[in-house]
Amino acid sequence: MVQSVTYQSETKTVPFQGKSIVLESLTPVLSPKEKEKRKKEIERCLYEVFSKYRRAGDTPA
């Protein structure tokens, strides 16, 4: 089953090197349950990365 995702759009015009550029930020609109699920997955992945580098940094040079 394919679930359709909707996005909230935020648009800003900012100066850059003397010109105006338009930045558009899209944020998915998720249910509280889906937000929590994604947050836990991100935390798990970050923990794996930091644990890997912490172990590498623990060995004496």
Short mmCIF file of all heavy atoms in Angstrom, two decimals:
data_model
loop_
_atom_site.label_atom_id
_atom_site.label_comp_id
_atom_site.label_asym_id
_atom_site.label_seq_id
_atom_site.Cartn_x
_atom_site.Cartn_y
_atom_site.Cartn_z
N MET A 1 0.84 -1.19 0.00
CA MET A 1 0.00 0.00 0.00
C MET A 1 0.89 1.24 0.00
O MET A 1 1.76 1.40 0.84
CB MET A 1 -0.90 -0.03 1.24
CG MET A 1 -1.85 1.11 1.32
SD MET A 1 -2.98 0.83 2.70
CE MET A 1 -3.18 2.48 3.25
N VAL A 2 0.67 2.13 -0.93
CA VAL A 2 1.44 3.36 -1.02
C VAL A 2 0.67 4.47 -0.31
O VAL A 2 -0.50 4.69 -0.59
CB VAL A 2 1.68 3.75 -2.50
CG1 VAL A 2 2.40 5.08 -2.58
CG2 VAL A 2 2.45 2.66 -3.22
N GLN A 3 1.36 5.13 0.63
CA GLN A 3 0.73 6.20 1.40
C GLN A 3 1.17 7.54 0.85
O GLN A 3 2.36 7.77 0.64
CB GLN A 3 1.10 6.07 2.87
CG GLN A 3 0.34 7.01 3.76
CD GLN A 3 0.69 6.78 5.22
OE1 GLN A 3 1.69 6.15 5.53
NE2 GLN A 3 -0.13 7.30 6.12
N SER A 4 0.23 8.42 0.59
CA SER A 4 0.53 9.74 0.08
C SER A 4 1.00 10.64 1.22
O SER A 4 0.41 10.65 2.30
CB SER A 4 -0.72 10.34 -0.56
OG SER A 4 -0.46 11.65 -0.98
N VAL A 5 2.08 11.35 0.98
CA VAL A 5 2.62 12.27 1.98
C VAL A 5 2.37 13.70 1.51
O VAL A 5 2.64 14.04 0.36
CB VAL A 5 4.13 12.04 2.19
CG1 VAL A 5 4.70 13.03 3.19
CG2 VAL A 5 4.41 10.61 2.62
N THR A 6 1.87 14.52 2.40
CA THR A 6 1.69 15.94 2.08
C THR A 6 2.80 16.73 2.77
O THR A 6 3.38 16.27 3.76
CB THR A 6 0.32 16.46 2.54
OG1 THR A 6 0.20 16.26 3.94
CG2 THR A 6 -0.81 15.75 1.83
N TYR A 7 3.09 17.89 2.24
CA TYR A 7 4.18 18.71 2.76
C TYR A 7 3.70 20.12 3.06
O TYR A 7 2.86 20.67 2.36
CB TYR A 7 5.33 18.79 1.74
CG TYR A 7 6.00 17.47 1.53
CD1 TYR A 7 5.54 16.58 0.57
CD2 TYR A 7 7.09 17.09 2.30
CE1 TYR A 7 6.15 15.36 0.37
CE2 TYR A 7 7.71 15.87 2.11
CZ TYR A 7 7.23 15.00 1.15
OH TYR A 7 7.84 13.79 0.98
N GLN A 8 4.28 20.71 4.10
CA GLN A 8 4.05 22.10 4.44
C GLN A 8 5.20 22.88 3.82
O GLN A 8 6.37 22.52 3.98
CB GLN A 8 4.04 22.28 5.95
CG GLN A 8 3.81 23.70 6.39
CD GLN A 8 3.80 23.80 7.92
OE1 GLN A 8 4.02 22.83 8.62
NE2 GLN A 8 3.56 25.00 8.40
N SER A 9 4.89 23.94 3.12
CA SER A 9 5.89 24.72 2.42
C SER A 9 6.17 26.04 3.12
O SER A 9 5.25 26.71 3.60
CB SER A 9 5.41 25.01 0.99
OG SER A 9 6.31 25.83 0.32
N GLU A 10 7.45 26.40 3.19
CA GLU A 10 7.85 27.69 3.74
C GLU A 10 8.81 28.32 2.73
O GLU A 10 9.80 27.70 2.34
CB GLU A 10 8.55 27.51 5.08
CG GLU A 10 9.02 28.81 5.70
CD GLU A 10 9.78 28.60 7.01
OE1 GLU A 10 9.84 27.47 7.50
OE2 GLU A 10 10.34 29.59 7.50
N THR A 11 8.51 29.51 2.28
CA THR A 11 9.31 30.18 1.27
C THR A 11 9.89 31.47 1.83
O THR A 11 9.19 32.24 2.48
CB THR A 11 8.46 30.49 0.02
OG1 THR A 11 7.84 29.29 -0.43
CG2 THR A 11 9.29 31.07 -1.10
N LYS A 12 11.19 31.67 1.56
CA LYS A 12 11.86 32.90 1.99
C LYS A 12 12.67 33.44 0.82
O LYS A 12 13.23 32.68 0.04
CB LYS A 12 12.83 32.62 3.13
CG LYS A 12 12.22 32.35 4.46
CD LYS A 12 13.29 32.24 5.52
CE LYS A 12 12.67 32.04 6.89
NZ LYS A 12 13.69 31.97 7.93
N THR A 13 12.76 34.75 0.74
CA THR A 13 13.64 35.40 -0.22
C THR A 13 14.79 35.98 0.57
O THR A 13 14.58 36.74 1.52
CB THR A 13 12.90 36.52 -0.99
OG1 THR A 13 11.76 35.93 -1.63
CG2 THR A 13 13.79 37.15 -2.03
N VAL A 14 16.02 35.60 0.19
CA VAL A 14 17.20 36.04 0.93
C VAL A 14 18.23 36.63 -0.03
O VAL A 14 18.33 36.20 -1.18
CB VAL A 14 17.84 34.87 1.73
CG1 VAL A 14 16.89 34.38 2.80
CG2 VAL A 14 18.24 33.74 0.83
N PRO A 15 18.99 37.62 0.45
CA PRO A 15 20.05 38.18 -0.39
C PRO A 15 21.28 37.26 -0.39
O PRO A 15 21.64 36.68 0.63
CB PRO A 15 20.37 39.51 0.28
CG PRO A 15 19.96 39.34 1.70
CD PRO A 15 18.84 38.35 1.70
N PHE A 16 21.90 37.09 -1.56
CA PHE A 16 23.11 36.29 -1.68
C PHE A 16 23.95 36.86 -2.80
O PHE A 16 23.54 36.91 -3.94
CB PHE A 16 22.76 34.83 -1.96
CG PHE A 16 23.96 33.94 -2.10
CD1 PHE A 16 24.73 33.60 -1.00
CD2 PHE A 16 24.33 33.47 -3.34
CE1 PHE A 16 25.84 32.79 -1.12
CE2 PHE A 16 25.45 32.65 -3.48
CZ PHE A 16 26.20 32.31 -2.37
N GLN A 17 25.13 37.32 -2.44
CA GLN A 17 26.08 37.91 -3.39
C GLN A 17 25.43 38.97 -4.27
O GLN A 17 25.58 39.00 -5.48
CB GLN A 17 26.72 36.82 -4.25
CG GLN A 17 27.56 35.85 -3.45
CD GLN A 17 28.22 34.79 -4.31
OE1 GLN A 17 27.93 34.65 -5.50
NE2 GLN A 17 29.12 34.04 -3.69
N GLY A 18 24.66 39.84 -3.61
CA GLY A 18 24.06 40.97 -4.31
C GLY A 18 22.79 40.62 -5.08
O GLY A 18 22.21 41.48 -5.73
N LYS A 19 22.35 39.38 -5.03
CA LYS A 19 21.12 38.97 -5.72
C LYS A 19 20.13 38.42 -4.71
O LYS A 19 20.52 37.98 -3.62
CB LYS A 19 21.42 37.88 -6.76
CG LYS A 19 22.36 38.31 -7.85
CD LYS A 19 22.62 37.17 -8.80
CE LYS A 19 23.62 37.58 -9.87
NZ LYS A 19 23.91 36.47 -10.78
N SER A 20 18.86 38.42 -5.06
CA SER A 20 17.85 37.81 -4.22
C SER A 20 17.57 36.40 -4.75
O SER A 20 17.35 36.21 -5.94
CB SER A 20 16.55 38.62 -4.26
OG SER A 20 16.73 39.85 -3.60
N ILE A 21 17.60 35.45 -3.83
CA ILE A 21 17.26 34.08 -4.22
C ILE A 21 16.10 33.61 -3.35
O ILE A 21 15.91 34.07 -2.23
CB ILE A 21 18.45 33.11 -4.11
CG1 ILE A 21 18.98 33.05 -2.67
CG2 ILE A 21 19.56 33.49 -5.05
CD1 ILE A 21 20.00 31.96 -2.46
N VAL A 22 15.31 32.69 -3.90
CA VAL A 22 14.15 32.16 -3.20
C VAL A 22 14.51 30.78 -2.66
O VAL A 22 14.96 29.91 -3.40
CB VAL A 22 12.93 32.07 -4.13
CG1 VAL A 22 11.74 31.46 -3.41
CG2 VAL A 22 12.58 33.45 -4.66
N LEU A 23 14.31 30.61 -1.35
CA LEU A 23 14.53 29.32 -0.70
C LEU A 23 13.17 28.74 -0.34
O LEU A 23 12.33 29.42 0.25
CB LEU A 23 15.37 29.46 0.56
CG LEU A 23 16.77 30.03 0.41
CD1 LEU A 23 17.42 30.18 1.78
CD2 LEU A 23 17.61 29.13 -0.46
N GLU A 24 12.96 27.48 -0.69
CA GLU A 24 11.71 26.82 -0.34
C GLU A 24 12.03 25.60 0.52
O GLU A 24 12.82 24.75 0.13
CB GLU A 24 10.95 26.38 -1.58
CG GLU A 24 9.61 25.76 -1.26
CD GLU A 24 8.82 25.38 -2.49
OE1 GLU A 24 9.40 25.28 -3.58
OE2 GLU A 24 7.60 25.19 -2.35
N SER A 25 11.44 25.55 1.69
CA SER A 25 11.63 24.44 2.60
C SER A 25 10.34 23.63 2.67
O SER A 25 9.27 24.18 2.91
CB SER A 25 11.98 24.97 4.00
OG SER A 25 12.09 23.91 4.91
N LEU A 26 10.44 22.33 2.42
CA LEU A 26 9.28 21.45 2.49
C LEU A 26 9.42 20.53 3.69
O LEU A 26 10.44 19.86 3.87
CB LEU A 26 9.16 20.61 1.22
CG LEU A 26 8.95 21.38 -0.08
CD1 LEU A 26 8.97 20.43 -1.26
CD2 LEU A 26 7.65 22.14 -0.04
N THR A 27 8.40 20.51 4.53
CA THR A 27 8.38 19.67 5.73
C THR A 27 7.20 18.71 5.62
O THR A 27 6.08 19.14 5.38
CB THR A 27 8.22 20.53 6.99
OG1 THR A 27 9.23 21.53 7.00
CG2 THR A 27 8.31 19.71 8.25
N PRO A 28 7.45 17.40 5.77
CA PRO A 28 6.33 16.46 5.69
C PRO A 28 5.35 16.66 6.85
O PRO A 28 5.76 16.94 7.97
CB PRO A 28 6.99 15.08 5.75
CG PRO A 28 8.32 15.32 6.38
CD PRO A 28 8.72 16.72 6.05
N VAL A 29 4.08 16.51 6.55
CA VAL A 29 3.04 16.59 7.56
C VAL A 29 2.75 15.15 7.98
O VAL A 29 2.24 14.35 7.19
CB VAL A 29 1.77 17.27 7.02
CG1 VAL A 29 0.68 17.29 8.07
CG2 VAL A 29 2.09 18.67 6.53
N LEU A 30 3.10 14.81 9.22
CA LEU A 30 2.99 13.44 9.71
C LEU A 30 2.08 13.36 10.92
O LEU A 30 1.94 14.34 11.67
CB LEU A 30 4.38 12.91 10.12
CG LEU A 30 5.47 12.96 9.06
CD1 LEU A 30 6.82 12.63 9.68
CD2 LEU A 30 5.16 12.00 7.94
N SER A 31 1.52 12.19 11.12
CA SER A 31 0.72 11.95 12.32
C SER A 31 1.68 11.88 13.51
O SER A 31 2.86 11.59 13.33
CB SER A 31 -0.06 10.64 12.20
OG SER A 31 0.84 9.54 12.24
N PRO A 32 1.18 12.12 14.73
CA PRO A 32 2.06 12.02 15.90
C PRO A 32 2.75 10.66 16.01
O PRO A 32 3.92 10.57 16.37
CB PRO A 32 1.12 12.26 17.08
CG PRO A 32 0.00 13.09 16.50
CD PRO A 32 -0.16 12.60 15.09
N LYS A 33 2.04 9.60 15.66
CA LYS A 33 2.61 8.24 15.72
C LYS A 33 3.76 8.10 14.72
O LYS A 33 4.81 7.55 15.05
CB LYS A 33 1.51 7.22 15.42
CG LYS A 33 1.93 5.80 15.59
CD LYS A 33 0.75 4.86 15.36
CE LYS A 33 1.16 3.42 15.56
NZ LYS A 33 0.04 2.50 15.35
N GLU A 34 3.57 8.60 13.51
CA GLU A 34 4.61 8.52 12.48
C GLU A 34 5.80 9.41 12.85
O GLU A 34 6.95 9.05 12.62
CB GLU A 34 4.04 8.93 11.12
CG GLU A 34 5.01 8.76 9.98
CD GLU A 34 5.45 7.33 9.70
OE1 GLU A 34 4.70 6.40 10.02
OE2 GLU A 34 6.55 7.15 9.16
N LYS A 35 5.55 10.59 13.44
CA LYS A 35 6.64 11.46 13.88
C LYS A 35 7.51 10.75 14.91
O LYS A 35 8.73 10.79 14.85
CB LYS A 35 6.09 12.75 14.51
CG LYS A 35 5.70 13.81 13.53
CD LYS A 35 5.27 15.06 14.29
CE LYS A 35 4.68 16.08 13.36
NZ LYS A 35 4.23 17.27 14.08
N GLU A 36 6.88 10.09 15.87
CA GLU A 36 7.61 9.38 16.91
C GLU A 36 8.41 8.23 16.32
O GLU A 36 9.56 8.00 16.70
CB GLU A 36 6.64 8.87 17.98
CG GLU A 36 7.31 8.29 19.19
CD GLU A 36 8.17 9.28 19.96
OE1 GLU A 36 7.88 10.49 19.96
OE2 GLU A 36 9.17 8.84 20.56
N LYS A 37 7.83 7.52 15.37
CA LYS A 37 8.52 6.41 14.71
C LYS A 37 9.78 6.91 13.99
O LYS A 37 10.85 6.32 14.11
CB LYS A 37 7.57 5.74 13.72
CG LYS A 37 8.14 4.56 12.99
CD LYS A 37 7.10 3.97 12.03
CE LYS A 37 7.71 2.90 11.16
NZ LYS A 37 6.76 2.40 10.16
N ARG A 38 9.65 8.00 13.23
CA ARG A 38 10.81 8.56 12.51
C ARG A 38 11.87 9.08 13.48
O ARG A 38 13.06 8.93 13.26
CB ARG A 38 10.37 9.66 11.56
CG ARG A 38 9.65 9.12 10.36
CD ARG A 38 9.54 10.13 9.27
NE ARG A 38 8.78 9.60 8.15
CZ ARG A 38 8.65 10.24 7.01
NH1 ARG A 38 9.22 11.40 6.84
NH2 ARG A 38 7.96 9.70 6.03
N LYS A 39 11.43 9.72 14.56
CA LYS A 39 12.36 10.25 15.55
C LYS A 39 13.19 9.13 16.16
O LYS A 39 14.41 9.24 16.29
CB LYS A 39 11.59 11.00 16.65
CG LYS A 39 12.47 11.56 17.73
CD LYS A 39 11.65 12.26 18.80
CE LYS A 39 12.54 12.72 19.92
NZ LYS A 39 11.79 13.35 21.01
N LYS A 40 12.54 8.02 16.53
CA LYS A 40 13.26 6.89 17.11
C LYS A 40 14.25 6.28 16.12
O LYS A 40 15.36 5.91 16.50
CB LYS A 40 12.27 5.83 17.60
CG LYS A 40 11.55 6.23 18.86
CD LYS A 40 10.62 5.14 19.34
CE LYS A 40 9.79 5.61 20.49
NZ LYS A 40 10.38 5.35 21.77
N GLU A 41 13.88 6.21 14.85
CA GLU A 41 14.77 5.67 13.83
C GLU A 41 16.00 6.57 13.65
O GLU A 41 17.12 6.09 13.55
CB GLU A 41 14.03 5.51 12.50
CG GLU A 41 14.87 5.01 11.36
CD GLU A 41 15.39 3.58 11.55
OE1 GLU A 41 14.86 2.85 12.42
OE2 GLU A 41 16.33 3.21 10.84
N ILE A 42 15.79 7.88 13.64
CA ILE A 42 16.91 8.82 13.52
C ILE A 42 17.82 8.71 14.74
O ILE A 42 19.05 8.66 14.60
CB ILE A 42 16.38 10.27 13.36
CG1 ILE A 42 15.71 10.42 11.99
CG2 ILE A 42 17.50 11.29 13.54
CD1 ILE A 42 14.92 11.69 11.82
N GLU A 43 17.23 8.64 15.93
CA GLU A 43 18.04 8.50 17.15
C GLU A 43 18.87 7.22 17.12
O GLU A 43 20.03 7.20 17.50
CB GLU A 43 17.14 8.51 18.38
CG GLU A 43 16.57 9.88 18.69
CD GLU A 43 15.55 9.86 19.82
OE1 GLU A 43 15.11 8.76 20.23
OE2 GLU A 43 15.18 10.95 20.28
N ARG A 44 18.27 6.12 16.65
CA ARG A 44 18.98 4.84 16.58
C ARG A 44 20.16 4.95 15.62
O ARG A 44 21.27 4.52 15.94
CB ARG A 44 18.03 3.73 16.12
CG ARG A 44 18.68 2.35 16.13
CD ARG A 44 17.79 1.29 15.50
NE ARG A 44 17.54 1.53 14.09
CZ ARG A 44 18.42 1.29 13.12
NH1 ARG A 44 19.60 0.82 13.39
NH2 ARG A 44 18.10 1.53 11.85
N CYS A 45 19.94 5.55 14.46
CA CYS A 45 21.01 5.69 13.47
C CYS A 45 22.13 6.60 14.00
O CYS A 45 23.31 6.29 13.83
CB CYS A 45 20.47 6.24 12.15
SG CYS A 45 19.39 5.08 11.29
N LEU A 46 21.77 7.69 14.65
CA LEU A 46 22.78 8.59 15.21
C LEU A 46 23.58 7.90 16.30
O LEU A 46 24.80 8.05 16.39
CB LEU A 46 22.13 9.86 15.76
CG LEU A 46 21.64 10.85 14.71
CD1 LEU A 46 20.86 11.98 15.38
CD2 LEU A 46 22.79 11.41 13.91
N TYR A 47 22.90 7.10 17.13
CA TYR A 47 23.59 6.36 18.18
C TYR A 47 24.63 5.42 17.58
O TYR A 47 25.76 5.33 18.07
CB TYR A 47 22.59 5.58 19.03
CG TYR A 47 23.26 4.79 20.13
CD1 TYR A 47 23.67 5.42 21.30
CD2 TYR A 47 23.52 3.43 19.98
CE1 TYR A 47 24.31 4.71 22.31
CE2 TYR A 47 24.16 2.71 20.98
CZ TYR A 47 24.55 3.35 22.14
OH TYR A 47 25.20 2.65 23.11
N GLU A 48 24.26 4.73 16.50
CA GLU A 48 25.20 3.82 15.84
C GLU A 48 26.43 4.56 15.33
O GLU A 48 27.56 4.12 15.50
CB GLU A 48 24.52 3.08 14.70
CG GLU A 48 23.52 2.04 15.15
CD GLU A 48 22.78 1.39 14.00
OE1 GLU A 48 23.14 1.62 12.82
OE2 GLU A 48 21.82 0.64 14.27
N VAL A 49 26.21 5.72 14.71
CA VAL A 49 27.33 6.51 14.17
C VAL A 49 28.23 7.01 15.31
O VAL A 49 29.45 6.84 15.26
CB VAL A 49 26.81 7.71 13.33
CG1 VAL A 49 27.93 8.67 13.00
CG2 VAL A 49 26.14 7.21 12.07
N PHE A 50 27.65 7.61 16.34
CA PHE A 50 28.46 8.14 17.43
C PHE A 50 29.18 7.04 18.18
O PHE A 50 30.32 7.20 18.60
CB PHE A 50 27.62 9.00 18.38
CG PHE A 50 27.22 10.32 17.79
CD1 PHE A 50 25.89 10.68 17.65
CD2 PHE A 50 28.18 11.22 17.37
CE1 PHE A 50 25.53 11.91 17.10
CE2 PHE A 50 27.84 12.45 16.82
CZ PHE A 50 26.51 12.79 16.69
N SER A 51 28.53 5.89 18.35
CA SER A 51 29.17 4.76 19.01
C SER A 51 30.37 4.28 18.22
O SER A 51 31.42 3.96 18.78
CB SER A 51 28.19 3.61 19.20
OG SER A 51 27.15 3.98 20.06
N LYS A 52 30.24 4.23 16.91
CA LYS A 52 31.34 3.79 16.04
C LYS A 52 32.55 4.72 16.20
O LYS A 52 33.67 4.25 16.39
CB LYS A 52 30.87 3.81 14.59
CG LYS A 52 31.95 3.50 13.58
CD LYS A 52 31.40 3.61 12.17
CE LYS A 52 32.49 3.56 11.14
NZ LYS A 52 31.99 3.75 9.79
N TYR A 53 32.31 6.02 16.15
CA TYR A 53 33.43 6.95 16.26
C TYR A 53 33.97 7.08 17.66
O TYR A 53 35.14 7.36 17.87
CB TYR A 53 33.05 8.31 15.67
CG TYR A 53 32.99 8.25 14.17
CD1 TYR A 53 31.78 8.13 13.49
CD2 TYR A 53 34.15 8.24 13.41
CE1 TYR A 53 31.73 8.03 12.10
CE2 TYR A 53 34.12 8.12 12.04
CZ TYR A 53 32.89 8.03 11.40
OH TYR A 53 32.87 7.91 10.05
N ARG A 54 33.13 6.83 18.64
CA ARG A 54 33.61 6.85 20.02
C ARG A 54 34.58 5.69 20.25
O ARG A 54 35.63 5.86 20.84
CB ARG A 54 32.43 6.75 20.99
CG ARG A 54 32.88 6.78 22.41
CD ARG A 54 31.74 6.82 23.36
NE ARG A 54 32.26 6.69 24.70
CZ ARG A 54 31.64 6.13 25.70
NH1 ARG A 54 30.43 5.64 25.50
NH2 ARG A 54 32.18 6.04 26.88
N ARG A 55 34.22 4.51 19.75
CA ARG A 55 35.10 3.35 19.88
C ARG A 55 36.41 3.61 19.16
O ARG A 55 37.48 3.29 19.67
CB ARG A 55 34.43 2.10 19.29
CG ARG A 55 33.39 1.50 20.20
CD ARG A 55 32.97 0.13 19.74
NE ARG A 55 32.46 0.11 18.37
CZ ARG A 55 31.19 0.25 18.02
NH1 ARG A 55 30.28 0.41 18.95
NH2 ARG A 55 30.83 0.21 16.76
N ALA A 56 36.36 4.22 18.00
CA ALA A 56 37.58 4.52 17.24
C ALA A 56 38.43 5.53 18.00
O ALA A 56 39.66 5.47 17.95
CB ALA A 56 37.21 5.06 15.86
N GLY A 57 37.82 6.47 18.70
CA GLY A 57 38.57 7.47 19.45
C GLY A 57 39.09 6.97 20.79
O GLY A 57 39.96 7.58 21.39
N ASP A 58 38.58 5.83 21.28
CA ASP A 58 39.01 5.30 22.56
C ASP A 58 40.36 4.58 22.49
O ASP A 58 41.01 4.42 23.50
CB ASP A 58 37.96 4.31 23.11
CG ASP A 58 36.72 5.03 23.62
OD1 ASP A 58 36.77 6.26 23.79
OD2 ASP A 58 35.70 4.35 23.84
N THR A 59 40.77 4.18 21.29
CA THR A 59 42.04 3.47 21.18
C THR A 59 43.19 4.45 21.28
O THR A 59 43.17 5.53 20.70
CB THR A 59 42.14 2.71 19.83
OG1 THR A 59 41.98 3.65 18.77
CG2 THR A 59 41.06 1.65 19.72
N PRO A 60 44.23 4.12 22.06
CA PRO A 60 45.37 5.04 22.21
C PRO A 60 46.15 5.16 20.91
O PRO A 60 46.26 4.21 20.14
CB PRO A 60 46.23 4.39 23.29
CG PRO A 60 45.67 3.04 23.53
CD PRO A 60 44.35 2.92 22.85
N ALA A 61 46.70 6.33 20.70
CA ALA A 61 47.46 6.60 19.45
C ALA A 61 48.89 6.18 19.58
O ALA A 61 49.47 6.09 20.59
CB ALA A 61 47.36 8.07 19.11
#
